[in-house]
Amino acid sequence: MVEPLTNNIDDVALIFEGGGMRGAYTAAVVQTLLAEQLYFDWVAGISAGSSHLANYVSRDPWRAKASFVEFAADPQIGNWWTFVRGKGMFNAEYIYENTSAPGQVLPLQFEKFLANPARIRIGTFQADTGETVYWTKDDTPTLMDLVRRVRSSSTMPLLMPMVHLDGHVYVDGALGPGGGIALDAAKADGFTKFFVVLTQQRSYVKRPTSGQAIFNNYFRRYPAAAEALRQRHSNYNRTREELFDLEASGQAYVFAPDTMPIANGTKNVAQLQAAFDLGTAQAQREVPAWREFLGL
């Protein structure tokens, strides 16, 4: 039995952006937050950010890194062969549902996750209705409930098969109105201060999705998802602009990578380790500023 955990930051929302394997950089932030015992009582994540949420709330620094660095060497993680077989370029069923139980490749400390009183918001997108859904702990009473919802949030269009769950069809939460950054969920829950971990540099501007015709065909049964994908770049850029405005007014701390040397599909472990090391150096350098913003 795991003793109940306590948190020491209840007036600031912690938000993890997605970004696929760029999460190797973010994993360093998760490790640093845990090492510094900075425990937020409200945590949101979308796409890969939902994996960071699970690792952070379960307070597992090992899994935080392993999920985005060493795990990339696993031959079952996905390739063209799994894509052709309909399992995705990233084999999502294996990554999320076949690795997280005790004794598996990436065991998730689910008892600790439940013992943490932090409220969670896992953002995903209903392809069949066009609605954004934020899962809470009420939706994750079992480990499989949690990992399936993390998978639903992380289902990159075309590269992973859509998730059928509770009578709906789900795809990457980045198609929602925040563009992949759950600022809307934090504001809806009444927060006015935000600690946001991004996976792109400050200078980054997202461009319209290329190959839209391909995605229109892919989402031919789900036109709301195709439209959301068309709007994603503008939603994402707008949310980032709002974040930087909040930062300027003292209401947000925005952790943006100094550099981003990897892409969302990078599987080279040495490159992922290098990104993690860069993230560690930046995070440790910024810890005093984190504490000042958080009043600790």
Side-chain angles (χ1 to χ4, degrees):
M1 178 68 68
V2 176
E3 292 294 323
L5 304 178
T6 59
N7 297 311
N8 54 7
I9 304 166
D10 59 11
D11 59 342
V12 181
L14 173 60
I15 300 172
F16 291 113
E17 182 189 2
M21 299 308 289
R22 291 197 303 272
Y25 205 105
T26 302
V29 179
V30 176
Q31 278 202 353
T32 304
L33 288 170
L34 294 175
E36 294 292 325
Q37 298 184 1
L38 299 176
Y39 301 139
F40 290 76
D41 200 48
W42 190 101
V43 188
I46 292 176
S47 198
S50 65
S51 290
H52 294 304
L53 176 155
N55 296 331
Y56 173 81
V57 173
S58 61
R59 296 191 183 172
D60 191 339
W62 172 83
R63 194 177 192 274
K65 180 189 176 190
S67 299
F68 289 93
V69 180
E70 292 88 353
F71 185 47
D74 191 319
Q76 299 184 74
I77 196 173
N79 49 41
W80 279 109
W81 177 237
T82 57
F83 180 76
V84 170
R85 294 171 62 198
K87 293 182 177 292
M89 185 64 73
F90 284 90
N91 185 356
E93 181 179 1
Y94 173 73
I95 292 169
Y96 298 101
E97 299 183 23
N98 299 336
T99 63
S100 299
Q104 294 180 340
V105 177
L106 288 173
L108 194 152
Q109 298 188 48
F110 188 64
E111 286 189 0
K112 245 185 172 179
F113 177 88
L114 292 179
N116 191 328
R119 292 177 290 162
I120 67 165
R121 300 291 183 268
I122 297 174
T124 188
F125 186 84
Q126 284 184 350
D128 51 328
T129 68
E131 297 295 321
T132 293
V133 174
Y134 281 103
W135 305 113
T136 71
K137 274 191 177 171
D138 290 340
D139 302 301
T140 61
T142 70
L143 174 62
M144 189 54 66
D145 289 324
L146 173 61
V147 296
R148 283 179 175 160
R149 281 157 178 78
V150 170
R151 176 184 172 184
S152 80
S153 177
S154 308
T155 299
M156 292 185 285
L158 192 62
L159 298 181
M160 297 178 178
M162 288 179 276
V163 175
H164 294 256
L165 187 64
D166 298 339
H168 291 285
V169 182
Y170 292 94
V171 71
D172 202 307
L175 270 64
I181 304 170
L183 181 61
D184 56 338
K187 290 165 62 178
D189 279 355
F191 284 92
T192 57
K193 292 188 68 177
F194 316 92
F195 190 104
V196 185
V197 184
L198 301 179
T199 59
Q200 297 283 16
Q201 297 166 260
R202 288 178 177 270
S203 60
Y204 178 78
V205 176
K206 185 174 285 297
R207 304 301 178 190
T209 300
S210 59
Q212 185 66 47
I214 296 173
F215 288 106
N216 289 345
N217 182 63
Y218 179 72
F219 286 126
R220 59 189 178 278
R221 294 178 56 193
Y222 308 109
E227 178 59 29
L229 192 62
R230 275 191 291 274
Q231 298 297 324
R232 189 193 166 193
H233 70 286
S234 57
N235 289 335
Y236 179 79
N237 293 334
R238 183 181 63 251
T239 301
R240 278 174 53 104
E241 288 176 8
E242 183 178 357
L243 277 177
F244 294 137
D245 286 344
L246 288 167
E247 181 184 49
S249 68
Q251 292 176 262
Y253 189 100
V254 179
F255 180 95
D258 290 337
T259 183
M260 181 45 65
I262 54 176
N264 62 355
T266 298
K267 296 180 184 177
N268 182 293
V269 173
Q271 293 174 3
L272 295 168
Q273 178 67 52
F276 175 85
D277 292 342
L278 288 171
T280 298
Q282 182 179 347
Q284 292 179 348
R285 187 172 67 249
E286 293 190 19
V287 164
W290 294 1
R291 290 189 171 278
E292 181 180 1
F293 175 77
L294 296 169
L296 298 174

